[in-house]
Amino acid sequence: MTNEPLLPGSTIGILGAGQLGKMLTQSAQKMGYHVHVFDTKEACTFPIAHKSVLGDFSDKDQVLNFAQEVDSLTYEFENINAEVLEDLSNQDYFIQGAKLLTISKNRLREKKWLNAIGTPTVPYRPVNNLDELNQASADLGLPIVLKTVELGYDGKGQVLIKDESDLTDQADDIKSILDSGGVAEAFCDFDYEASVIVARNPQGEIECFPPTVNIHRAGILCASYSSSQLKEELFDDIKAVATTIAKESDLVGVCGVELFVTKDQELIVNEIAPRPHNSGHYSIEACNLSQFDQHILAITNRELIEPRLVQPTLSVNILGQHLDHLGELVAKFPQAIVHIYDKGEGRTQRKMGHFTLSFESEDQIAETLKDPFLQDWFDQVG
């Protein structure tokens, strides 16, 4: 890719064909681009892409052959062989590069890098056996959160250790994490969780979406919403953290930054995701453009658009166990915009879609969150 924008009619290639790939494809197509997708199995983006390719993410030749057919290459999830993508980073069609992906795939590498650029994280220790875990517990104090260094999402690959009895009660899960390499994190007694989607293009333009407050259950994101709880001063602080991450990583595209907001209203970065993020889905209905639109603008070397909140919006995930309750959902909230990803089997705790509710004021969001229907919806998660 030259310094010129990639014009509509060009082809964008996406590694991964899950729901993020699907929503990226929908944004790209409405902007006039063709889309090719590559995945290890038939996934929900296949029916809508211009071309779909089955392959192996770790097979460099297959990925290279796919990449050489497109004008701009991107990815929709982190569990891709970073070494394969690093080999493509000097190619014009891979303007996004693999720098931030390589950093974020490994939690120890990610925290070390965040600290090095002046971004606060919780204290942490690498742990690979019980002796190191016991030492980390002594250093950090209980409770601690034990996580796999790589992989693990939606509460998988992590264990909360509150006291010594958990070492016995959760021995199998702990051993599994230690055997694959773990990181022990000090428990953050936060006030609430927040996140922001930051975007950067190759020219260095940076834009942040309005941050959201997030609700988690059992390690899974249940809901995200715009809130006056994030006062203007905190907005600025959150955007400053996200901007630093975007600059220092040479980000191209969008990145989700998850944060803890402490009781003293200080910010601690929990994790980063160099791709569209679940907490940014609200932007489809709430903002003047979505996180997916902004990502396409960035990877096609176009000017970014300043995101604006058009209306207060609550975005709620639909998991497998919720699918039998869609009729009740629409009856309760007839204004709901429901997104179903068409991912196949609706297994318990598997993200199958989301819905958004828009309001006149943020006060209505607070009242809606107290509704017994939504409380039961969240309780079904954990």
Side-chain angles (χ1 to χ4, degrees):
M1 183 181 292
T2 67
N3 289 326
E4 296 298 317
L6 190 63
L7 298 178
S10 304
T11 300
I12 293 171
I14 304 175
L15 295 172
Q19 68 263 26
L20 297 180
K22 182 176 184 178
M23 289 182 272
L24 281 170
T25 296
Q26 290 167 333
S27 282
Q29 289 175 338
K30 78 178 182 183
M31 295 163 70
Y33 294 100
H34 291 82
V35 179
H36 295 181
V37 294
F38 180 103
D39 211 327
T40 57
K41 59 184 183 303
E42 292 192 19
C44 60
T45 312
F46 274 40
I48 67 169
H50 292 87
K51 181 177 180 179
S52 304
V53 177
L54 287 170
D56 183 344
F57 289 121
S58 62
D59 188 317
K60 181 179 176 180
D61 289 336
Q62 288 185 352
V63 174
L64 179 60
N65 289 338
F66 173 79
Q68 288 176 333
E69 292 186 354
V70 306
D71 300 300
S72 181
L73 181 70
T74 188
Y75 54 84
E76 63 125 25
F77 74 121
E78 291 96 322
N79 297 333
I80 300 172
N81 189 327
E83 293 179 359
V84 172
L85 292 186
E86 284 172 356
D87 288 344
L88 300 179
S89 291
N90 62 345
Q91 302 297 322
D92 287 344
Y93 53 72
F94 191 35
I95 195 171
Q96 185 174 5
K99 180 177 178 178
L100 194 53
L101 173 68
T102 302
I103 292 168
S104 64
K105 277 176 64 71
N106 182 290
R107 288 188 172 92
L108 283 171
R109 189 184 303 131
E110 177 183 271
K111 292 182 186 304
K112 183 177 180 180
W113 178 80
L114 287 168
N115 292 164
I117 65 170
T119 303
T121 65
V122 295
Y124 65 94
R125 299 288 187 276
V127 289
N128 297 290
N129 53 58
L130 282 175
D131 287 341
E132 291 180 353
L133 179 60
N134 288 330
Q135 185 61 53
S137 301
D139 292 345
L140 303 173
L142 295 176
I144 59 173
V145 181
L146 177 65
K147 298 179 180 179
T148 55
V149 170
E150 296 194 357
L151 304 178
Y153 62 95
D154 288 347
K156 301 177 179 69
Q158 61 179 269
V159 173
L160 174 62
I161 302 174
K162 301 184 292 294
D163 52 48
E164 290 187 5
S165 66
D166 285 329
L167 294 174
T168 301
D169 296 341
Q170 304 188 76
D172 290 343
D173 290 337
I174 290 172
K175 182 178 185 302
S176 177
I177 293 173
L178 294 177
D179 286 347
S180 63
V183 55
E185 301 178 3
F187 182 78
C188 182
D189 187 19
F190 53 82
D191 189 15
Y192 57 93
E193 295 177 87
S195 63
V196 64
I197 304 299
V198 60
R200 180 180 177 275
N201 68 7
Q203 285 74 43
E205 288 183 312
I206 295 176
E207 295 288 352
C208 291
F209 282 80
T212 59
V213 173
N214 300 325
I215 298 172
H216 286 82
R217 295 286 180 89
I220 297 176
L221 180 64
C222 287
S224 299
Y225 60 96
S226 54
S227 173
S228 57
Q229 186 175 5
L230 291 163
K231 297 180 176 63
E232 186 173 339
E233 183 177 342
L234 200 57
F235 262 60
D236 293 340
D237 291 344
I238 289 173
K239 290 178 180 179
V241 168
T243 296
T244 296
I245 290 170
K247 284 181 177 178
E248 295 295 332
S249 66
D250 300 320
L251 173 69
V252 173
V254 299
C255 175
V257 181
E258 298 179 85
L259 307 117
F260 298 131
V261 181
T262 71
K263 292 177 170 57
D264 294 329
Q265 300 301 285
E266 294 180 350
L267 300 176
I268 294 175
V269 176
N270 180 25
E271 290 185 344
I272 55 177
R275 52 163 172 76
H277 191 264
N278 195 170
S279 65
H281 292 350
Y282 84 102
S283 62
I284 299 173
E285 278 79 37
C287 298
N288 57 320
L289 82 164
S290 75
Q291 63 170 339
F292 304 99
D293 300 333
Q294 194 81 293
H295 186 81
I296 298 300
L297 290 175
I299 66 166
T300 55
N301 210 19
R302 293 171 61 180
E303 291 186 15
L304 301 183
I305 295 173
E306 180 182 359
R308 290 180 289 102
L309 186 69
V310 176
Q311 54 192 351
T313 301
L314 169 66
S315 175
V316 180
N317 276 326
I318 299 171
L319 306 187
Q321 61 264 40
H322 295 136
L323 290 176
D324 290 338
H325 303 283
L326 294 183
E328 301 164 50
L329 165 65
V330 174
K332 177 66 180 179
F333 299 113
Q335 79 275 30
I337 303 298
V338 180
H339 299 252
I340 298 297
Y341 305 147
D342 295 323
K343 291 169 64 175
E345 182 185 358
R347 298 190 300 272
T348 298
Q349 303 296 77
R350 188 186 190 196
K351 290 175 183 171
M352 303 302 294
H354 72 274
F355 66 90
T356 53
L357 303 173
S358 298
F359 301 92
E360 294 293 326
S361 71
E362 291 177 350
D363 290 342
Q364 292 174 295
I365 295 180
E367 287 302 311
T368 302
L369 286 170
K370 299 175 186 175
D371 190 287
F373 180 89
L374 271 190
Q375 288 299 311
D376 180 63
W377 192 275
F378 297 156
D379 287 344
Q380 290 181 49
V381 181

